[in-house]
Amino acid sequence: MFSIKFFTITIVSFLFIDCSKNDTTLIESNNNEVTKEVKSNLIDVSYHYTFKGSILKEIAKKNYPTSINSKFHNVKALKIIYRTFDVNGNYTMASGILLLPETEGDYSLLSFQHGNLLNSDDAPSKSKLGNNDLTFAAIMASTGIITIVPDYLGYGSSSLALHPKEHKNSLATSSYDMLKASKFYIEENHIATNDKLFIAGYSDGGFAAIALQQMIEEIGDFSLTKTYAAKGIYNKIIFTESLLNVKDKGLMIGHYLWMINSYNNLYETLNRPWNYYLNEPYAGRLASIQHLNSPIDKKLVTDDVNALFSATFIEGILNKTDTAFLKALDENNVDNWRPNNPIALYLSKNDRQFEVIHSNRMFNSIKSHGGNITMEDVQIENEEAMALPFYLAVLHDILEKQNLE
């Protein structure tokens, strides 16, 4: 079993913001003199929690129909604070959790992209044992996989800022930088790893997983093995058109309005009042929200798209005349490229029709570009309980691949 070395790095560059692109971090000694240079964006590491393997095993057994061929070990959770970039390209701090299995091994790495959060207190770095993404990630880690769980911008240590909902670049960048910081810590503590790196994400995390894969392949610093994704909004234009045409939206209206608010703040070409997008009284209700950082409460809106959205907005999308908004949507698509590494998309029999259509569209688009992509089924009892069975299906596939090698 490895011993864990805790340390804090004081980043002098935050005092005068002049960090070089090679992530050289200056470390101060007690007399404030620079004593060492380390190529890292890691700022701080602290103990967070320990998950018991026996409990994680029971959770897994109750939520997956097939026996998982692995022992379940205790997992030490460390909170990582690291340097990344905000939506404007400026340096900022972000956080996440590094999950280390307490067993000897030559570990694979997994970047775990958490799903949509209904509350900022549900961020991984604020979670412990429970029905949450961090526990799901800990189950995977307990089988002997070092699991890296970024909070994303707007959560954890960066919670004073709004979360950039469904924003491709910031999700990929904060996740990539968390991966770099974690890898530095792993190497500094002489923790043995193999050459396998997996990515998995559900819901918002499914989109983030594909965005992260695209960034990893573009930069080329990491060797990626496989990406697993479920229920992501992979093409924002197709999704928007579906939302405006399909009657059964379920809970998606509240999430979509959150995304509109995010893009409206992020893109200078937008910056529109709510009454451009929505009819009254809904525009006024949303305009009164000062800190919009979660899905819109369904009590504030309606599922009737013609009553909710303004005719100007609907016509601009369906007639493709709202070029500014469509351009923002297009910049956040992840289905129009050729991945170099395999992708597995997961569906369940309870998926709504537009979710199936959307996933099939992603599959066909990646396939048409020559990418290696498959469609897999997840066995679940109800729609609300798909996240954990998805991650357990991913775990089963990862372990099966490792056992075959």
Side-chain angles (χ1 to χ4, degrees), residues 3-10 25 27 36 38 40-47 78-81 98 181-191:
S3 60
I4 296 177
K5 177 172 61 179
F6 294 93
F7 56 89
T8 298
I9 298 178
T10 301
T25 298
I27 303 179
K36 184 181 180 182
V38 180
S40 173
N41 63 333
L42 181 62
I43 297 173
D44 183 69
V45 182
S46 60
Y47 173 79
L78 304 179
K79 181 177 180 179
I80 300 289
I81 298 178
L98 174 61
S182 299
K183 193 71 163 62
F184 174 78
Y185 179 83
I186 289 167
E187 291 173 351
E188 284 291 292
N189 283 271
H190 308 292
I191 300 171

Side-chain angles (χ1 to χ4, degrees), residues 254-321:
H255 293 272
Y256 186 74
L257 292 174
W258 183 11
M259 188 185 84
I260 285 181
N261 185 71
S262 177
Y263 289 1
N264 199 57
N265 292 330
L266 288 169
Y267 291 92
E268 293 182 357
T269 54
L270 299 179
N271 195 26
R272 302 162 173 172
W274 270 113
N275 60 16
Y276 174 86
Y277 301 103
L278 307 181
N279 295 318
E280 295 295 350
Y282 312 111
R285 292 174 183 174
L286 270 59
S288 67
I289 301 176
Q290 299 297 315
H291 191 80
L292 205 168
N293 207 35
S294 62
I296 301 298
D297 189 335
K298 62 182 179 181
K299 296 177 183 178
L300 298 177
V301 294
T302 175
D303 277 348
D304 184 341
V305 295
N306 292 315
L308 177 62
F309 293 104
S310 71
T312 300
F313 177 66
I314 293 175
E315 291 170 4
I317 296 299
L318 299 183
N319 296 333
K320 301 191 182 301
T321 55

Side-chain angles (χ1 to χ4, degrees), residues 185-205:
Y185 179 83
I186 289 167
E187 291 173 351
E188 284 291 292
N189 283 271
H190 308 292
I191 300 171
T193 60
N194 56 43
D195 60 353
K196 294 181 178 60
L197 169 63
F198 301 93
I199 306 172
Y202 176 85
S203 181
D204 287 24

Side-chain angles (χ1 to χ4, degrees), residues 52-348:
K52 298 297 183 183
S54 57
I55 297 176
L56 298 175
K57 179 181 179 180
E58 289 304 310
I59 296 173
K61 285 176 59 179
K62 291 178 180 178
N63 287 276
Y64 194 66
T66 305
S67 176
I68 295 176
N69 185 25
S70 175
K71 293 182 179 179
F72 290 79
H73 307 277
N74 291 350
V75 175
K76 188 178 294 293
L78 304 179
K79 181 177 180 179
I80 300 289
I81 298 178
Y82 62 98
R83 188 184 70 215
T84 186
F85 298 91
D86 65 17
V87 295
N88 297 313
N90 301 315
Y91 285 109
T92 188
M93 289 189 296
S95 56
I97 294 294
L98 174 61
L99 296 167
L100 300 173
E102 294 190 326
T103 180
E104 298 288 349
D106 186 20
Y107 306 102
S108 298
L109 301 183
L110 167 68
S111 183
F112 184 105
Q113 311 305 125
H114 72 74
N116 174 66
L117 300 182
L118 301 181
N119 190 300
S120 59
D121 289 336
D122 297 330
S125 67
K126 292 192 173 184
S127 300
K128 293 184 180 178
L129 181 67
N131 184 20
N132 56 55
D133 284 292
L134 185 62
T135 299
F136 302 163
I139 291 173
M140 304 183 82
S142 71
T143 64
I145 303 169
I146 293 179
T147 304
I148 299 158
V149 193
D151 283 330
Y152 308 148
L153 297 181
Y155 298 122
S157 296
S158 61
S159 60
L160 292 179
L162 292 176
H163 171 60
K165 172 77 168 175
E166 294 286 337
H167 185 231
K168 175 183 174 180
N169 186 63
S170 61
L171 284 169
T173 300
S174 61
S175 300
Y176 182 83
D177 288 340
M178 172 73 181
L179 186 58
K180 286 200 302 180
S182 299
K183 193 71 163 62
F184 174 78
Y185 179 83
I186 289 167
E187 291 173 351
E188 284 291 292
N189 283 271
H190 308 292
I191 300 171
T193 60
N194 56 43
D195 60 353
K196 294 181 178 60
L197 169 63
F198 301 93
I199 306 172
Y202 176 85
S203 181
D204 287 24
F207 169 68
I210 304 299
L212 175 58
Q213 174 173 353
Q214 193 168 8
M215 179 169 283
I216 285 175
E217 293 190 2
E218 287 174 354
I219 296 175
D221 285 351
F222 291 99
S223 177
L224 183 61
T225 306
K226 188 174 182 178
T227 296
Y228 306 83
K231 289 187 176 293
I233 304 177
Y234 311 112
N235 187 297
K236 300 297 189 291
I237 295 176
I238 299 298
F239 179 80
T240 298
E241 293 173 346
S242 299
L243 194 71
L244 297 177
N245 282 300
V246 180
K247 292 182 178 180
D248 178 22
K249 265 75 65 177
L251 297 175
M252 299 308 296
I253 288 289
H255 293 272
Y256 186 74
L257 292 174
W258 183 11
M259 188 185 84
I260 285 181
N261 185 71
S262 177
Y263 289 1
N264 199 57
N265 292 330
L266 288 169
Y267 291 92
E268 293 182 357
T269 54
L270 299 179
N271 195 26
R272 302 162 173 172
W274 270 113
N275 60 16
Y276 174 86
Y277 301 103
L278 307 181
N279 295 318
E280 295 295 350
Y282 312 111
R285 292 174 183 174
L286 270 59
S288 67
I289 301 176
Q290 299 297 315
H291 191 80
L292 205 168
N293 207 35
S294 62
I296 301 298
D297 189 335
K298 62 182 179 181
K299 296 177 183 178
L300 298 177
V301 294
T302 175
D303 277 348
D304 184 341
V305 295
N306 292 315
L308 177 62
F309 293 104
S310 71
T312 300
F313 177 66
I314 293 175
E315 291 170 4
I317 296 299
L318 299 183
N319 296 333
K320 301 191 182 301
T321 55
D322 190 347
T323 55
F325 193 78
L326 289 169
K327 185 175 186 296
L329 295 179
D330 185 62
E331 288 183 8
N332 291 283
N333 290 338
V334 292
D335 65 338
N336 190 26
W337 64 297
R338 184 189 184 280
N340 297 324
N341 298 282
I343 297 172
L345 295 183
Y346 283 73
L347 292 171
S348 78

